[in-house]
Amino acid sequence: MTRTGVAAWPEHLAQLYRARGYWRDRTLGSLPRQWAHRHGDRPALLDGDVTLTYRELAEKVDVLAVHLIALGLRGGDNILVQLPNCHELVLLVLACGRIGVAPVLMLPAHREHEMVAIGRHTEVAAIVTADAVRGFDHRALACRVAAEVPSAGPVLVVGGGAHRRDTSTVDFDMLLGGACDEADRARLAAATPDPGEVALFLLSGGTTGVPKVISRTHNDYEYNSRRSAEVCGFGPDTVYLVVLPAAHNFTLGSPGIIGTLMAGGRVVLLPSPSVAPAFEAIAEHGVTHTAAVPAVVRRWAEAAEELTPRLKSLRVLQVGGSLFAPELAIRARKALGCRVQQVFGMAEGLLNYTRLDEDDDLAARTQGRPISPDDEIRVVDTDGAEVPHGQEGELLTRGPYTPRGYFAAPEHNERSFAPGGWYRTGDLVRLDPSGNLVVVGRAKDVINRGGEKIAAAELEQLIATLPTVAEVAAIPYPDNELGERICVYVLPRPGHLPTLSDIEELFAERGVADYKVPERLRVVDVLPYTEVGKVDKKALCAKEAATATDVRPAG
Ligand code: AMP
Ligand code: DBH
């Protein structure tokens, strides 16, 4: 079944992308068998005590896909997935790709507020979650979400064996047992989706209060990952360490997990970027590549400066997600004794990498260039006119792995896409004489908190529901550790004094992800306005940047 709400590329471009070998008409679900053919008994995935070879990976993907069919899932269905970094997540994405079911990849930090909105928007037929992770009961969360999402069928729980008596959820681990027989293989063959169809949904940090979901097709995502692996020189000797959430486009396909597997390398999964376990894993498994956000790189560089001997195996540290200071790039390269590669990417598509044959200076001060000869980029002024070469402007893009619209969101698309299918990135960039892009700022109303994007409008809509608040504006304020944190300006209703705790309570009550909780509150009796009558956020940002103190109450 074809999903509605997915914007297609124009037919002549689809043909061109095929002719140029970008789109190979292979489904993500067909890849594990090809990999197994090539790499057989070599290890593919390491997750704690579990090691899966390429052959085992392919077998488990098929078994899981058969079980998903038996649970009633069909091509065209979407499922909500919230898993920590684990091999089951990788198996699930590939098994879904085998049968045309599209996983909607939530982050572990998401709660009811995000899960319900996105679950409804994508009309998910099932939810896959984990049992308790780091003390939080994801299973209970998923059950609450299922009750709020009319389309939601079964809740599948990874590590759900502890609740075997509970018939309201399905133990995911049971779906990985057994082997496929002839009839199963026929079932799988019959369920093979069209490679032009949606393979998975990624979330965008977004610019509005309503969720924005990005559909990625088999063709576009396979190319996204394969070409990334090529550009980054991944091969059978690549050992890629996952420390950021695997549901993130950076970790999943830039080149990430899928790119590593395509190259015949080995993926090592860790639950988080904590320094000690990460450094241990790098030493133990001979990790050659990993990907982190600048906030993590700072911690790693500090720790590595104290460390002897060096992390010898590490060749490339990929850094992306938010602005990365050149000084930190240089410091990280020295401290970790590896190349630093900048990645300027987006779940919406376009990926830029600094190249490994460029000098270290470019890798420190630019954010790289696109991966595809058919990635088109324009740098435009506020009227949409192209700026002179080398000048600053907003980056627009289109290309073979940049979808032409958000999923089922015509009103967002009107704003976020320019005529001709150009995605407005909201990023202010300039072209360096080297041909690489330099990200200089942002035109979109987003707060980038250590790589996590938060739409100011989402925060404002929530906070405006407080009876003590007359008007509210959410802005970023600079922070050494995370780059930016969240500041909220509030104009109170007469006689009221809203506090940060009021906002924290509201967010907890609504089940908003923790990383969106504001860390600074300014209660004011007047807000600055622009000529068109909007809150003048530029003025507020300038004011915040000038004040270094954190007014968060102690304790
Ligand atoms: P999302 O649309 O949520 O996938 O987030 C993508 C956005 O993250 C980009 O449009 C940029 O604003 C930001 N971003 C990603 N990588 C970088 C980078 N290397 N430097 C600066 N900003 C980045
Ligand atoms: O920030 C991002 O969204 C991002 C960063 C680096 C991304 O999506 C990517 C690489 O693929």
Side-chain angles (χ1 to χ4, degrees):
M1 203 187 90
T2 305
R3 290 169 185 82
T4 52
V6 177
W9 281 265
E11 188 46 41
H12 72 281
L13 285 179
Q15 274 173 26
L16 181 86
Y17 296 157
R18 285 192 173 90
R20 300 222 160 133
Y22 310 150
W23 292 4
R24 292 188 171 177
D25 284 324
R26 289 185 194 157
T27 64
L28 293 189
S30 71
L31 300 177
R33 274 165 307 148
Q34 290 175 18
W35 301 335
H37 194 68
R38 261 183 260 146
H39 310 296
D41 292 322
R42 302 189 47 227
L45 272 180
L46 278 75
D47 170 20
D49 300 339
V50 178
T51 300
L52 294 179
T53 65
Y54 276 92
R55 200 185 312 284
E56 290 164 336
L57 176 76
E59 281 163 6
K60 289 212 182 286
V61 163
D62 280 1
V63 167
L64 177 57
V66 168
H67 279 296
L68 295 177
I69 293 174
L71 278 171
L73 293 171
R74 293 292 176 268
D77 284 345
N78 304 327
I79 63 172
L80 203 62
V81 177
Q82 183 182 46
L83 288 174
N85 293 346
C86 58
H87 66 281
E88 290 91 342
L89 175 57
V90 183
L91 295 173
L92 181 62
V93 168
L94 296 168
C96 285
R98 190 96 164 83
I99 58 173
V101 170
V104 184
L105 298 174
M106 305 296 299
L107 297 174
H110 288 135
R111 296 292 177 263
E112 275 103 321
H113 175 70
E114 294 85 13
M115 304 265 291
V116 169
I118 289 168
R120 285 185 184 161
H121 185 65
T122 51
E123 302 182 84
V124 292
I127 304 180
V128 184
T129 191
D131 198 11
V133 180
R134 286 178 234 177
F136 182 81
D137 191 345
H138 284 270
R139 181 173 168 277
L141 170 63
C143 292
R144 291 198 298 275
V145 171
E148 299 290 325
V149 176
S151 58
V155 173
L156 284 54
V157 183
V158 170
H163 307 275
R164 209 152 275 156
R165 293 233 182 84
D166 169 27
T167 50
S168 68
T169 58
V170 176
D171 181 7
F172 185 92
D173 309 2
M174 303 290 285
L175 311 182
L176 297 176
C180 289
D181 59 20
E182 277 305 299
D184 292 332
R185 296 206 180 283
R187 240 172 251 133
L188 288 177
T192 302
D194 178 336
E197 264 288 319
V198 180
L200 46 92
F201 290 96
L202 300 172
L203 303 189
S204 161
T207 48
T208 59
V210 199
K212 289 205 284 192
V213 182
I214 305 142
S215 53
R216 303 295 301 263
T217 66
H218 295 270
N219 272 331
D220 97 60
Y221 211 68
E222 193 270 343
Y223 176 57
N224 179 107
S225 315
R226 171 167 42 89
R227 180 65 190 141
S228 288
E230 220 170 84
V231 162
C232 299
F234 278 25
D237 62 343
T238 298
V239 183
Y240 179 85
L241 179 68
V242 176
V243 295
L244 300 177
H248 195 287
N249 188 43
F250 192 6
T251 337
L252 188 64
S254 313
I257 297 169
I258 298 182
T260 303
L261 296 175
M262 284 173 150
R266 186 179 305 189
V267 175
V268 180
L269 293 154
L270 280 186
S272 82
S274 293
V275 174
F279 284 12
E280 273 164 37
I282 291 170
E284 183 185 343
H285 301 291
V287 168
T288 58
H289 293 73
T290 187
V293 293
V296 167
V297 172
R298 177 180 299 279
R299 295 203 300 273
W300 282 19
E302 279 166 10
E305 280 161 2
E306 310 288 310
L307 191 79
T308 41
R310 287 285 172 84
L311 300 165
K312 277 203 297 276
S313 62
L314 194 62
R315 283 185 234 152
V316 181
L317 172 64
Q318 300 187 306
V319 186
S322 62
L323 285 178
F324 187 44
E327 305 75 53
L328 181 54
I330 293 164
R331 185 176 168 194
R333 169 161 51 85
K334 289 192 179 138
L336 293 154
C338 65
R339 301 294 301 272
V340 166
Q341 179 175 43
Q342 293 210 43
V343 189
F344 165 38
M346 51 206 77
E348 286 83 352
L350 182 70
L351 296 174
N352 304 278
Y353 297 87
T354 55
R355 302 301 202 261
L356 295 165
D357 57 5
E358 291 167 350
D359 64 38
D360 289 330
D361 171 58
L362 276 188
R365 63 174 186 80
T366 76
Q367 279 65 56
R369 57 195 152 85
I371 58 171
S372 174
D374 279 284
D375 278 325
E376 297 178 79
I377 59 175
R378 294 177 62 201
V379 184
V380 303
D381 64 20
T382 43
D383 296 326
E386 221 148 319
V387 301
H389 198 88
Q391 305 262 305
E392 201 176 300
E394 186 189 357
L395 175 68
L396 308 191
T397 187
R398 55 184 191 185
Y401 58 99
T402 301
R404 296 302 179 108
Y406 289 103
F407 175 68
E411 66 297 343
H412 288 323
N413 292 341
E414 194 64 35
R415 244 173 294 134
S416 301
F417 288 80
W422 295 88
Y423 170 56
R424 299 184 205 268
T425 64
D427 294 311
L428 296 176
V429 302
R430 66 176 167 75
L431 265 171
D432 185 73
S434 64
N436 282 6
L437 288 165
V438 177
V439 181
V440 294
R442 209 160 51 213
K444 53 191 168 189
D445 202 2
V446 164
I447 298 156
N448 190 328
R449 190 179 178 280
E452 302 281 12
K453 286 76 175 180
I454 302 142
E458 179 179 21
L459 304 178
E460 290 159 5
Q461 281 167 24
L462 280 160
I463 295 166
T465 64
L466 283 174
T468 53
V469 169
E471 208 165 340
V472 49
I475 58 159
Y477 69 91
D479 176 75
N480 276 340
E481 194 191 331
L482 294 178
E484 295 177 8
R485 290 182 192 264
I486 306 165
C487 174
V488 170
Y489 270 75
V490 163
L491 191 70
R493 288 195 191 280
H496 291 282
L497 189 65
T499 63
L500 263 187
S501 326
D502 296 344
I503 297 176
E504 282 167 6
E505 268 168 42
L506 170 76
F507 279 32
E509 209 174 278
R510 298 288 181 92
V512 180
D514 259 351
Y515 67 84
K516 296 180 184 170
V517 176
E519 292 147 302
R520 187 183 275 187
L521 173 69
R522 306 283 193 198
V523 180
V524 292
D525 46 23
V526 57
L527 282 169
Y529 292 92
T530 63
E531 274 171 32
V532 294
K534 283 192 188 170
V535 174
D536 187 350
K537 291 198 174 180
K538 258 200 191 133
L540 294 180
C541 288
K543 212 163 130 188
E544 276 317 303
T547 353
T549 48
D550 189 343
V551 295
R552 190 188 173 92

